[in-house]
Amino acid sequence: MADLRFDQSTFLAHRAREAAKIGPPKPPQHVALPGAKAAVAHDRLLAYQDAELDSDAITERVNERWRAENAELLAEHSRWVAGPYVAALEDARKAEIEAAAKALRTRALFEEIMREREQGS
Amino acid sequence: MADPGVPLSYLAYDLRSGSYLGRLPLAGVTFGSQLLNPGTLSGTIDIASAAVQALAPLSLTAPARTVIAVDYMGALIWGGIIWPRYYKYDGQSRQLQVTATELWSYLQQRDQATDYSAPPFSGITGPSTYMPIWDASHTSVPEGGPGVYDPTLLAWQIISDALNQVTDGNILGGLGIAANGYTTAASYIASGTQTPQANYLTANYPYSSIQQVHSMVNLLASNGIGTGFDYAVDIAYSSGPGSVPVGTVNLSYPRRGRTYAQNQLVLNCGNAISYDIPEDGTQVGNTIYEQGQSGSLVVSQNIIPLQGGYPVLEQIKSRANIQSANVLNVLSAMGVSDLATGSFPVATPSVTLDLFSSSVPLGDFIVGDNVRLIVPASDGLGGVFDPRFPSGLDREFRIIGMTAQVADAGQSKLTLNLAVPPVVVAAGPQV
């Protein structure tokens, strides 16, 4: 039966042995840089760094490439934003204003009726 | 379910392997990020619908083993782990409420992998091999002694050990780690000017007082500009939409994000849905006492507010956790950074914009970026646009948080929380 009386030093010794078996960390195949819309292949990242580009410049290049690849989608999105989306927002706002106006009218009518009743009685 | 025109989709991946599980039919979604603090996503799934049941919503949202990623027009802009899931059965509701927290939250449930009581050695390297990342600066002086080290590298070694040296202790098929975009400690150090120059720290973390990885890194990071750094886990598709997601722990020294000169982002309050500008004088300090360990004290004063008519306002900052052979240098750097943020009343504006048609579009900025905040002077009809700013406002702020509210119908909103960007000298009130 396995010895379950683990103390801190045996646990650390186990972990150190385990770590030795795992070996040094492997460099990632792809790297997600802050703000980049696609991950950069590791060898391309290294090539960029050899060309003395910093993280922001590399991100900018990645995003330029992404924009070129997705130009169609971006154009479609801006059409949607300018057309149906804005129209839907305007409709929603109009409906909201109309509902508010209707509520106000109803209340005014109700108050008028109440006033008439008070005067009549 | 959300409007089909909305260009956002929510994808579920297996936490450990990163394999694709499916698309989530989330409604009422709100997601956000904060600097140095993982943000959350919440949304609901109506499991009464037969169409939703066919998607196996329960296995797509299993807590503590599922990643939700937000795709905006073919790029991943947010990634987080589902921790809580809530379900209530009553007369009407059959809704599953899901909450995910950004990938960094994994490190809130991980502890230090080994003993760091005698750097540059650790429980993993043994007593004769130096830790490769921790001591990449070769500053264990005297040879093999305690030494002083770059705080970014300390964090990198701690995270790397926890993720890479513990079996089954990594997520998304293996997170990469990078500091300023460099994936090896040697190339990061070689990049020179963008690494700390004189503010190296001494640190040791005995296994007997075991700590959480997040709190160790957070403490190192919150040391103020010049010593501290920013961190986050970023997510992206490895090669084009639909491919396997890649996560990278990004440590950014001296700060995360770009300046206005680099990103040209303009936040025009003239087009905003609303904005509010709280100002707080209770935390103002133009004279700062930085208290380090063993009685060390550094006093820093910004004389600009005093010349401008403010009285002396003092703050004591306890930095008992800082250990360094050059503790006075570190404390003066912290004094300068505290003066930069606290010399004048702190303003933290927040601006709410339309999510899909704002001048600061989703995916074009990251939390940490600077923006140019503009309040127009005139309303175009000869009047003042906003009496709070009779002559307008044009100033650089830093995005320290964002919240996106995706409406199922009507207007979706993006709220940006702003703060003064890290600077060296504060020369006037912030707004």
Side-chain angles (χ1 to χ4, degrees), chain A residues 75-110:
Chain A
E76 197 181 304
H77 174 74
S78 53
R79 270 200 301 276
W80 175 75
V81 163
Y85 181 65
V86 167
L89 285 187
E90 278 171 6
D91 286 349
R93 259 183 233 139
K94 234 180 261 167
E96 211 172 277
I97 291 167
E98 270 165 24
K102 196 179 163 196
L104 276 178
R105 277 198 303 272
T106 319
R107 217 173 112 193
L109 191 66
F110 177 73

Side-chain angles (χ1 to χ4, degrees), chain A residues 8 11-12 15-16 18-19 22-23 25 30 32 34-35 37 39 42 45 49 55-56 66 73 77 80-81 85 89 93, chain B residues 5 72-74 113 123 164-165 167 180-183 207 237-238 246 248 250 256 262 354 356-357 363-364 366 411:
Chain A
Q8 183 183 308
F11 187 71
L12 275 181
R15 190 159 269 183
E18 197 183 84
I22 295 171
H30 291 94
K37 299 196 175 195
H42 194 240
L45 177 74
Q49 281 168 351
S55 175
D56 291 331
W66 179 87
L73 198 69
H77 174 74
W80 175 75
V81 163
Y85 181 65
L89 285 187
R93 259 183 233 139
Chain B
Y72 181 58
M73 295 203 288
N164 297 319
Q165 304 296 335
T167 318
N180 290 351
Y182 295 96
T183 51
Y207 204 61
Y237 285 124
S238 52
V246 179
T248 304
N250 278 303
R256 183 175 163 87
Q262 288 167 318
D354 185 87
F356 299 119
S357 58
D364 276 13
I366 55 169
Q411 192 165 34

